[in-house]
Amino acid sequence: MTAPILSLADRMADIRPFHVMELLRRARELEAQGRDIIHMEIGEPDFASPQPVIEAATRFLARGDVHYTPALGITPLREAIARFYQDRFGADVSPERIVVTPGASGALMLALAATTNPGDTWLLPDPTYPSNRHLVRAFEGVARAVPVSADSAYQPTVAAVEAAWQTTTRGLVVASPANPTGTLLDLTQIDALRRCVHARGGHLIVDEIYQGLTYGVEASTALERMDDVFVVNSFSKYFGMTGWRLGWLVAPEGYAREIERLAQHFFISASTIAQQAALAAFSPACLEILEARRQAFAERRNTLLPALRELGFTVAAEPQGAFYIYSDISALSDDSEALARRLIEEAGVAATPGIDFGDNRPQQHLRFAYTTGQHRLEEAVERIRRALV
Amino acid sequence: MTAPILSLADRMADIRPFHVMELLRRARELEAQGRDIIHMEIGEPDFASPQPVIEAATRFLARGDVHYTPALGITPLREAIARFYQDRFGADVSPERIVVTPGASGALMLALAATTNPGDTWLLPDPTYPSNRHLVRAFEGVARAVPVSADSAYQPTVAAVEAAWQTTTRGLVVASPANPTGTLLDLTQIDALRRCVHARGGHLIVDEIYQGLTYGVEASTALERMDDVFVVNSFSKYFGMTGWRLGWLVAPEGYAREIERLAQHFFISASTIAQQAALAAFSPACLEILEARRQAFAERRNTLLPALRELGFTVAAEPQGAFYIYSDISALSDDSEALARRLIEEAGVAATPGIDFGDNRPQQHLRFAYTTGQHRLEEAVERIRRALV
């Protein structure tokens, strides 16, 4: 007598993998054969975690006292995040509204689980980070794509949100800076979207995971202008702490104590070591390191963007943040997956095909991440040039 | 224009807090006033994380390379867990079936999300660890309590499961050692439950979070006898790594690659530092430390159990594992919450009222955790004795 074979919940049919993982597997195979692969598919900074963060973790570990924390996070970290909002953005955010989570994924899970009934629809731009729609689906919500194009810098407009809104719509998720496009929303645009969403009784979630990584534009937060939206953030990208798995949610007044119950059951608490280490992330010494890294990203972007354009990739909406360039490959190919395979096999360059970000003309797009050093990027451009001849 | 105030999903009405948190808040208040509180409410070992684990983490941190890992966990850790099953239990578990997660909470989330359709019912013993039913609810399943009593060592019997099974039932979750009762299921009992569940097309989830913490009984795993159930485990309890937030799921053949997709979206990956540190958890030096701690827990249990009985607490089913004694207070009070408040105010002893573990006569039960040292436990017994006069 055996268990039913793969007796799965219906939602599993809708949960897609990251397609880039297949490509990454192929990259590892080629590397095992001695080939040199330049990784432009990876959505995490190539830098090591900042030394002040490492040192704080090491000091904490020496005490050995790695016990659970309160479900919402340790008070000093919630206060440090609130101070950061004040100091950098002039935004007044009570620590009571800040929920420390295991990565931004955890923050988004809490916001969606706390607000989404079965059948409720969330509007998500397409293309966007793929996990968002899968988390909506996990809690029995329905993700509805709002196709966006370079015309609106790949961001949803009020008109598009109004047109997509239905009686079952629960809210809208936007990201600034956005993945995969690197484009921004300014505060006036976010405020207009908020008014549109709130007028319809919905929620607005603003994904600020790439906050701080902007080039030629000052970093900002929706919280400068409004306190009645959910804001998701992370120590992974700007703070260079991916593997620590730490993020946070800023919830509108009154929600944090509701979300606390969910956080207790979902996570008990976020990593204690990561929380203690993150206290050092806001130190002047650390912020100085992070600013130098931001400048390095800016230089990479300024190298890569014109080079890709010169190679025939179209980048119609200027990427101003994150570390991605989302390119239209129409002039080169009508099949981004085939082109990605060709680039990895012939040029030893890995990039992410559009299919990972939605159903809006994915075959016409490739995402290049500049999460590898300047010289490697130049080498990648040369190799792509030769492969495209 | 503001967002709707507390516009929450329906599930939130069913998500209860840990009631013990209120008690803990009161304990902190009293401590701030200078009162000495003996904490017997806390479900985590009082020991620091084992030194070999701390050292492994420190060594890893010195490299600074704290990046994401594969969603299922780093291969060496999945292999180390598989070896541990082989070496300690003679159980043959392929590393392919092992999913490394952010705590056992993450493991249970994955197993439930992968198998539970809206309206599907899971049978859970009552009393049990409260988060289980809330995680079922989070994914729109329905938790159905199977009341258990000291007569069956607070474990569900095949007859009880047969009686509770309905067409909508999706499966059964059992725990051995169990929280809050410290009681065990032997492999024959688990196998009988498995046959009962599988004959009805359901899934069995075996919670082995307290595995290794048994007294007078050899530790075991369901995996010695069967490979077609979900097994949830953790580095928190036996391995003393609560704040690291690391656990694992062993899935039946074929499920891990399905669950990988969910894990990507839910967590990206578990903490890299915790995974690297956990490699040292299976070292002979570490296992020696853990065995000494297990003996310390055994001594505490052997002190506390007769002392509580002598004070008038009834413990009808012998606790043989975890670090809890679930006592019937009927001879002392008819209101466990009132008794808990009295104990904290008058004796400075914190214990957890039954309400946190379900609806099965919670007012008649208090859970005492022996997660504090031997002398403090003796002091607690004396204080309770004086308070009960």
Side-chain angles (χ1 to χ4, degrees):
Chain A
M1 202 179 305
T2 56
I5 296 301
L6 298 196
S7 166
L8 296 167
D10 296 340
R11 69 172 62 83
M12 295 301 285
D14 301 321
I15 307 284
R16 293 201 213 163
F18 292 139
H19 291 86
V20 72
M21 291 297 167
E22 267 315 303
L23 206 77
L24 194 57
R25 250 185 284 270
R26 180 60 185 150
R28 300 291 178 222
E29 269 175 33
L30 291 170
E31 286 171 329
Q33 293 165 21
R35 282 282 298 279
D36 174 58
I37 306 292
I38 301 177
H39 289 278
M40 302 181 72
E41 83 284 26
I42 294 179
E44 71 174 326
D46 49 321
F47 300 107
S49 295
Q51 197 57 28
V53 167
I54 298 276
E55 284 166 13
T58 305
R59 278 195 307 274
F60 176 72
L61 277 172
R63 288 159 37 198
D65 182 27
V66 191
H67 287 98
Y68 294 128
T69 76
L72 297 181
I74 57 173
T75 300
L77 183 58
R78 297 170 72 199
E79 289 172 349
I81 293 168
R83 260 196 317 276
F84 185 68
Y85 278 122
Q86 186 69 65
D87 295 349
R88 176 157 291 195
F89 305 105
D92 192 21
V93 179
S94 161
E96 302 286 319
R97 290 170 53 204
I98 296 170
V99 181
V100 176
T101 55
S105 316
L108 197 65
M109 273 182 132
L110 291 176
L112 291 172
T115 56
T116 310
N117 279 321
D120 281 357
T121 295
W122 280 89
L123 303 180
L124 310 178
D126 182 353
T128 194
Y129 179 62
S131 293
N132 295 3
R133 72 174 189 278
H134 295 111
L135 293 181
V136 168
R137 179 67 184 90
F139 295 107
E140 294 299 322
V142 178
R144 179 158 181 208
V146 178
V148 292
S149 71
D151 297 341
S152 64
Y154 296 109
Q155 295 284 1
T157 60
V158 167
V161 171
E162 282 173 349
W165 202 277
Q166 297 173 304
T167 53
T168 58
T169 305
R170 189 64 175 150
L172 168 70
V173 183
V174 293
S176 178
N179 175 7
T181 61
T183 61
L184 312 183
L185 284 164
D186 66 30
L187 295 186
T188 303
Q189 291 172 312
I190 295 177
D191 202 35
L193 290 168
R194 175 185 72 101
R195 286 167 185 273
C196 165
V197 166
H198 287 177
R200 287 159 180 77
H203 287 293
L204 179 63
I205 298 178
V206 185
D207 164 354
E208 299 186 347
I209 293 171
Y210 291 91
Q211 184 183 61
L213 293 174
T214 54
Y215 317 111
V217 185
E218 278 295 301
S220 69
T221 171
L223 299 164
E224 294 172 44
R225 191 72 72 89
M226 59 199 75
D227 56 13
D228 50 5
V229 299
F230 292 89
V231 171
V232 170
N233 211 323
S234 173
F235 285 97
S236 291
K237 311 297 184 180
Y238 177 67
F239 295 98
M241 293 177 64
T242 50
W244 303 71
R245 312 308 306 117
L246 198 68
W248 73 86
L249 175 70
V250 182
E253 188 75 33
Y255 280 86
R257 64 169 173 272
E258 301 286 328
I259 285 173
E260 179 176 19
R261 303 198 305 273
L262 271 186
Q264 288 173 348
H265 302 301
F266 280 16
F267 309 125
I268 302 183
S269 58
S271 160
T272 306
I273 300 163
Q275 291 186 64
Q276 292 287 343
L279 290 173
F282 301 108
S283 65
C286 189
L287 293 174
E288 196 177 310
I289 293 167
L290 301 178
E291 176 56 18
R293 290 178 178 187
R294 189 192 64 76
Q295 284 171 17
F297 280 125
E299 282 161 30
R300 295 173 183 184
R301 171 195 171 281
N302 295 343
T303 300
L304 188 62
L305 182 55
L308 286 176
R309 283 172 166 157
E310 199 240 311
L311 290 174
F313 295 92
T314 305
V315 187
E318 201 79 358
Q320 299 179 294
F323 31 60
Y324 305 116
I325 295 174
Y326 194 62
S327 65
D328 186 324
I329 62 158
S330 304
L332 302 166
S333 164
D334 57 5
D335 182 346
S336 62
E337 292 181 84
L339 181 60
R341 280 193 300 272
R342 193 175 140 204
L343 289 182
I344 197 165
E345 298 291 342
E346 296 180 22
V349 172
T352 308
I355 184 73
D356 258 346
F357 308 105
D359 300 315
N360 179 15
R361 304 189 303 137
Q363 293 305 331
Q364 289 176 40
H365 292 89
L366 271 186
R367 186 192 75 177
F368 292 93
Y370 40 96
T371 49
T372 190
Q374 185 81 2
H375 292 300
R376 296 286 280 168
L377 291 179
E378 287 163 13
E379 166 77 15
V381 167
E382 274 317 299
R383 291 193 197 174
I384 296 171
R385 187 191 312 277
R386 289 196 297 270
L388 290 179
V389 168
Chain B
M1 200 180 307
T2 57
I5 295 302
L6 297 194
S7 166
L8 296 168
D10 296 340
R11 68 172 63 82
M12 295 302 286
D14 302 321
I15 307 284
R16 293 200 214 164
F18 293 140
H19 291 85
V20 73
M21 290 298 165
E22 266 316 303
L23 207 78
L24 194 57
R25 250 186 283 270
R26 180 61 186 148
R28 300 291 178 221
E29 268 175 33
L30 292 170
E31 285 171 329
Q33 293 165 21
R35 283 280 300 279
D36 173 61
I37 306 292
I38 302 177
H39 289 279
M40 302 181 73
E41 83 285 25
I42 293 180
E44 72 174 325
D46 49 321
F47 299 107
S49 296
Q51 198 56 29
V53 167
I54 299 277
E55 285 166 13
T58 306
R59 277 195 306 275
F60 176 71
L61 277 173
R63 286 159 39 199
D65 183 26
V66 190
H67 287 99
Y68 295 129
T69 77
L72 297 181
I74 57 173
T75 301
L77 182 58
R78 298 169 73 198
E79 290 171 350
I81 294 168
R83 260 197 317 277
F84 185 67
Y85 278 123
Q86 186 69 64
D87 294 350
R88 175 158 291 194
F89 305 107
D92 193 20
V93 179
S94 160
E96 302 286 319
R97 290 171 53 205
I98 297 169
V99 181
V100 176
T101 56
S105 315
L108 197 64
M109 273 183 133
L110 291 175
L112 291 172
T115 57
T116 308
N117 279 320
D120 282 357
T121 297
W122 281 89
L123 303 180
L124 310 177
D126 182 353
T128 194
Y129 178 62
S131 292
N132 295 2
R133 74 174 187 278
H134 294 112
L135 292 180
V136 168
R137 179 67 186 91
F139 295 107
E140 294 299 323
V142 178
R144 181 161 181 206
V146 179
V148 293
S149 70
D151 297 342
S152 64
Y154 295 108
Q155 294 285 1
T157 61
V158 166
V161 171
E162 282 174 350
W165 202 277
Q166 296 174 305
T167 53
T168 59
T169 306
R170 190 63 176 150
L172 168 70
V173 182
V174 294
S176 177
N179 175 8
T181 59
T183 62
L184 312 182
L185 284 165
D186 67 30
L187 295 186
T188 304
Q189 289 172 312
I190 294 177
D191 202 36
L193 289 167
R194 176 185 72 103
R195 286 167 184 274
C196 164
V197 166
H198 286 177
R200 286 161 180 76
H203 287 294
L204 179 63
I205 297 178
V206 185
D207 164 354
E208 298 186 347
I209 292 171
Y210 292 92
Q211 185 184 61
L213 293 175
T214 54
Y215 317 111
V217 185
E218 279 294 303
S220 69
T221 171
L223 299 163
E224 294 172 42
R225 190 73 73 88
M226 60 199 75
D227 56 13
D228 50 3
V229 299
F230 291 89
V231 171
V232 171
N233 212 322
S234 174
F235 284 97
S236 291
K237 311 298 184 180
Y238 177 67
F239 295 99
M241 292 178 64
T242 49
W244 302 71
R245 311 308 307 117
L246 198 68
W248 72 87
L249 174 70
V250 183
E253 187 75 33
Y255 281 86
R257 66 170 170 270
E258 301 285 329
I259 285 173
E260 178 175 19
R261 302 198 307 273
L262 271 186
Q264 287 174 348
H265 302 300
F266 281 16
F267 311 123
I268 302 183
S269 59
S271 159
T272 305
I273 300 164
Q275 292 187 63
Q276 291 287 343
L279 289 172
F282 301 108
S283 65
C286 189
L287 293 174
E288 196 176 311
I289 293 167
L290 301 178
E291 176 57 17
R293 291 177 177 187
R294 190 192 64 78
Q295 285 171 18
F297 280 126
E299 282 160 29
R300 295 172 183 184
R301 172 196 172 280
N302 294 343
T303 300
L304 187 61
L305 183 55
L308 287 176
R309 281 172 168 158
E310 198 240 313
L311 290 174
F313 295 92
T314 304
V315 187
E318 201 79 357
Q320 299 180 295
F323 31 60
Y324 305 117
I325 295 175
Y326 195 61
S327 67
D328 186 325
I329 62 158
S330 304
L332 303 166
S333 164
D334 56 5
D335 183 346
S336 63
E337 291 181 84
L339 182 60
R341 279 193 300 270
R342 193 173 141 206
L343 289 181
I344 198 165
E345 298 292 341
E346 295 179 22
V349 172
T352 307
I355 184 72
D356 258 346
F357 308 108
D359 300 316
N360 178 16
R361 304 188 303 137
Q363 293 304 333
Q364 289 178 39
H365 292 89
L366 271 186
R367 186 192 76 175
F368 292 93
Y370 41 96
T371 48
T372 190
Q374 185 80 3
H375 293 300
R376 296 285 281 169
L377 291 179
E378 287 164 11
E379 166 77 14
V381 167
E382 274 316 298
R383 292 192 196 175
I384 297 172
R385 187 190 313 278
R386 289 196 298 271
L388 291 179
V389 169

